[in-house]
Amino acid sequence: MTSTTSLPERAGRRCHHVVNPLHSTVYFSPDLPAELAAVGVEDRAAAYFASRAAAMGAVGPGTVTATFYNFAYDLVARHIPQVWSVVPPAEVLAARLRAVDSTLRRLLGDAVVESPEMAEAARLALRATEGCTRHARPLYAAHADLPVPEAPHLAYWHAATLLREHRGDGHLVALLEAGLNGLEALVTHTATDRGADRSWLLATRGWSLEQWEAAEEGLRERGILDAAGALTEAGTKLRADLEDTTDRLDLAPYEHLGAADVARLTELATGFTQAAVAAGAFPKELLGKR
């Protein structure tokens, strides 16, 4: 199925790839675990699960596993729902926003955070979110119910969160259609040039090496991986089709914003993200490939 669009090819994807990283900085920032430790959540994994899931309320491990998709249920269940007995979701969200403020100020500097360009990016990104839809998008829908922060850099981060989760929810639909479970999604993504380091994923997603290798074997039997663990021609096509389907399902916010403003948001977001990366916002394992 194809969609008629006035946007340049993959303009929405390019915009996403530079808007999303600034949202993601908080998950790799020392400020988030520090803020949550101050309210009683001292485990870093628990801090991540709580901070991203809190918009949905005091949900259980099944909901978090379903919406996050590529984490092992056993890992999630070690922290959810126990974390809600320590700190309620509303308090987690407040701590997360404090961490966002300190993280962006540290990575970008006060001058950028308080610049007219940041305010412009916030306006554009928020306008894009007006084209998002709630149906079948649980993480987006939960975050869309949160108030927009007043400060421009926090409003921009909030809009980036909405755009990230909107695309992410659609990506899960594409993964299901492709017949890839959470672990298989990780394995195939790691086999691409954009894949993260396997050891880092095993340490953070809760899967064992045996489970990973079993998933690889299953993907070989399906013709998606070759003997060396690289994508076959069919596997490469599968990953390309996944991204194309995700683009189609995520087209609405960028169509709503329009080609000229998508290009401007991409320009502004590129500058912010490049500055954050240069400031060491992300671990090298996230961008590495084993």
Side-chain angles (χ1 to χ4, degrees), residues 160-247:
T161 303
L162 297 182
L163 293 171
R164 166 201 171 95
E165 301 299 9
H166 187 269
R167 183 177 180 88
D169 287 338
H171 188 59
L172 302 194
V173 174
L175 289 170
L176 284 172
E177 184 179 42
L180 294 178
N181 62 30
L183 178 53
E184 291 166 340
L186 283 179
V187 172
T188 56
H189 188 253
T190 300
T192 70
D193 290 338
R194 296 182 62 246
D197 179 82
R198 185 182 73 176
S199 298
W200 182 79
L201 289 172
L202 289 173
T204 59
R205 297 307 191 263
W207 304 103
S208 68
L209 180 58
E210 292 74 20
Q211 289 172 315
W212 186 283
E213 291 175 343
E216 286 183 323
E217 183 58 32
L219 291 165
R220 287 191 191 96
E221 292 174 358
R222 293 168 58 184
I224 295 171
L225 295 183
D226 63 20
L231 290 173
T232 61
E233 183 177 347
T236 299
K237 183 178 185 304
L238 180 145
R239 288 299 317 188
D241 289 346
L242 274 172
E243 295 304 322
D244 288 344
T245 299
T246 303
D247 287 346

Side-chain angles (χ1 to χ4, degrees), residues 77 82 101 111 121 123 244 249 269:
Q82 192 273 337
D101 178 51
R123 289 193 299 271
D244 288 344
L249 295 174

Side-chain angles (χ1 to χ4, degrees), residues 20-171:
N20 174 54
L22 205 69
H23 158 87
S24 301
T25 56
V26 71
Y27 299 126
F28 303 97
S29 167
D31 303 319
L32 181 62
E35 287 287 352
L36 285 171
V39 294
V41 182
E42 297 183 354
D43 186 277
R44 290 183 70 97
Y48 169 75
F49 291 134
S51 63
R52 191 171 172 212
M56 297 186 289
V59 294
T63 299
V64 173
T65 303
T67 54
F68 289 20
Y69 203 78
N70 59 33
F71 289 84
Y73 175 85
D74 289 348
L75 173 62
V76 177
R78 287 178 212 162
H79 307 290
I80 301 290
Q82 192 273 337
V83 69
W84 309 128
S85 67
V86 177
V87 57
E91 197 168 339
V92 171
L93 291 171
R96 183 177 72 166
L97 203 58
R98 292 193 298 271
V100 171
D101 178 51
S102 55
T103 297
L104 295 185
R105 289 183 181 279
R106 175 168 47 79
L107 293 174
L108 302 180
D110 288 344
V112 172
V113 161
E114 297 168 8
S115 68
E117 290 78 14
M118 180 63 73
E120 181 185 4
R123 289 193 299 271
L124 291 172
L126 286 169
R127 192 186 311 151
T129 68
E130 295 171 0
C132 295
T133 55
R134 285 180 168 82
H135 49 273
R137 299 182 193 266
L139 269 175
Y140 163 76
H143 283 88
D145 283 345
L146 300 178
V148 179
E150 291 186 9
H153 66 297
L154 300 181
Y156 176 67
W157 184 88
H158 174 76
T161 303
L162 297 182
L163 293 171
R164 166 201 171 95
E165 301 299 9
H166 187 269
R167 183 177 180 88
D169 287 338
H171 188 59

